[in-house]
Amino acid sequence: MELSDLLTFSTVARLGGITRAADELNTVQSNVTQRVKALEAEIGTALFERHSRGMTLTGAGRRLLPYAQRMAALSREALLAARDDGEPKGPLAIGSMETTAAVRLPSLLADFHRRFPAVRLSLRTSTTAELVAGVLNGTLDGAFVAGPVEHAELNATVAFREELVLVTARRWQSLTALRAGTPESGPTALVFRTGCTYRQRLEQIFSEFGWPSSARFELGTLDGMIGCVAADMGVTLLPRAVVGRNDSVSIHTLSPAQSRVETLFITRRTAHQYSALQVFASCLSNNGEVIAA
């Protein structure tokens, strides 16, 4: 098997389509299609099911994917290790929850870029579950995720401590009023997609409030989330620092058990700790937010 074919295959699998994979790999769609077909021909079976909404893995594709991801990650790691002469440079792929990227990271990333311009930093936002998977399979060098995360192959450092708050439309001035003025099933929960730790926490809180069967509505962006809350479409759970002093919504304080959450920076234990990643972790440590390693 050609390593380039496996890399192309794993990229298509992750992004769910030829067009997006070609964009990420900086190549043309026909090249991606050719490499996938070549790999399928070599293996002797289809790896994807093609349909109008994109491509999904077949059983054979699902079995091959973890091996392809590990081989691609090991190849990238070997290349970076060989080129690492102690001077921070080259690619550095960091992942983050959207809420953390919006509020906590801009000054950190700007400072890092000024100090280490030779490092080609990229940031990918996603859910905690997907970010953990990205660090484990080597497509991300490190990621900011919601804790707790316990995995034998991961190192985790507490980067930030957040207070989660319930966010509602302005007309709800208290939790008591919200609980008294909503249907027995509860308000609509506005959430990010499955795999988001804040979504899981909100569902737990709704269950504690007696609303286990409330409707869910998924949104993909932070701005969209706050806009829909302001329009009284439903309620959501976000870090207080994200909402700030937004006059279009009401913010409700929860109990410590419901509101406290740690944002962790995770890396893979077995990965080569090359210079770019080391200095990024150092910048994080010097940011005044890191509490423990």
Side-chain angles (χ1 to χ4, degrees):
M1 295 182 187
E2 293 289 337
L3 183 60
S4 57
D5 291 347
L6 291 170
L7 174 60
T8 301
F9 159 71
S10 62
T11 304
V12 174
R14 174 165 56 83
L15 298 177
I18 295 293
T19 301
R20 283 174 287 180
D23 290 341
E24 181 166 309
L25 295 170
N26 195 28
T27 187
V28 296
Q29 296 180 34
S30 58
N31 188 37
V32 174
T33 300
Q34 181 181 1
R35 289 192 176 279
V36 170
K37 288 183 176 180
L39 187 60
E40 290 178 324
E42 181 177 359
I43 295 174
T45 188
L47 299 174
F48 292 100
E49 294 178 355
R50 281 80 167 172
H51 48 75
S52 59
R53 293 167 296 173
M55 302 169 69
T56 56
L57 289 168
T58 63
R62 288 192 296 272
R63 292 189 294 272
L64 176 63
L65 182 59
Y67 296 98
Q69 289 173 329
R70 290 204 295 270
M71 291 175 70
L74 187 59
S75 173
R76 177 179 181 272
E77 185 180 329
L79 182 63
L80 292 173
R83 291 175 175 174
D84 189 8
D85 58 3
E87 182 68 25
K89 59 180 181 293
L92 179 64
I94 299 297
S96 174
M97 298 177 293
E98 184 169 348
T99 51
T100 302
V103 175
R104 300 293 189 180
L105 297 189
S107 61
L108 173 68
L109 299 181
D111 178 63
F112 180 82
H113 180 64
R114 283 192 297 267
R115 293 175 58 190
F116 305 102
V119 176
R120 301 195 304 276
L121 180 66
S122 61
L123 181 68
R124 188 177 103 202
T125 59
S126 191
T127 65
T128 286
E130 291 179 352
L131 294 171
V132 169
V135 173
L136 288 172
N137 65 36
T139 57
L140 293 172
D141 297 305
F144 294 91
V145 301
V149 173
E150 297 181 2
H151 196 288
E153 296 181 31
L154 295 176
N155 289 318
T157 299
V158 179
F160 314 108
R161 281 190 175 136
E162 302 288 3
E163 179 197 1
L164 300 180
V165 293
L166 201 66
V167 189
T168 71
R170 284 288 303 277
R171 71 188 181 102
W172 303 114
Q173 294 301 305
S174 69
L175 284 179
T176 300
L178 175 67
R179 298 179 72 170
T182 52
E184 185 176 343
S185 60
T188 297
L190 304 182
V191 295
F192 293 114
R193 63 184 181 275
T194 301
C196 172
T197 301
Y198 297 164
R199 172 179 179 152
Q200 297 170 358
R201 183 73 66 95
L202 179 60
E203 291 174 345
Q204 179 183 345
I205 291 170
F206 268 33
S207 181
E208 293 172 2
F209 283 178
W211 300 329
S213 60
S214 63
R216 272 58 165 170
F217 189 90
E218 290 190 10
L219 290 143
T221 67
L222 183 59
D223 288 343
M225 182 78 73
I226 294 177
C228 286
V229 171
D232 205 13
M233 182 176 176
V235 306
T236 194
L237 187 73
L238 292 171
R240 185 182 291 274
V242 169
V243 187
R245 298 181 179 178
N246 193 316
D247 294 333
S248 66
V249 296
S250 291
I251 298 173
H252 307 280
T253 301
L254 300 167
S255 70
Q258 295 168 330
S259 64
R260 291 174 181 168
V261 66
E262 294 176 335
T263 298
L264 309 177
F265 183 67
I266 59 170
T267 57
R268 193 159 46 94
R269 288 184 187 275
T270 57
H272 173 69
Q273 298 297 305
Y274 56 97
S275 300
L277 183 57
Q278 287 180 348
V279 295
F280 184 84
S282 176
C283 285
L284 180 61
S285 299
N286 293 333
N287 198 42
E289 294 282 359
V290 171
I291 298 159

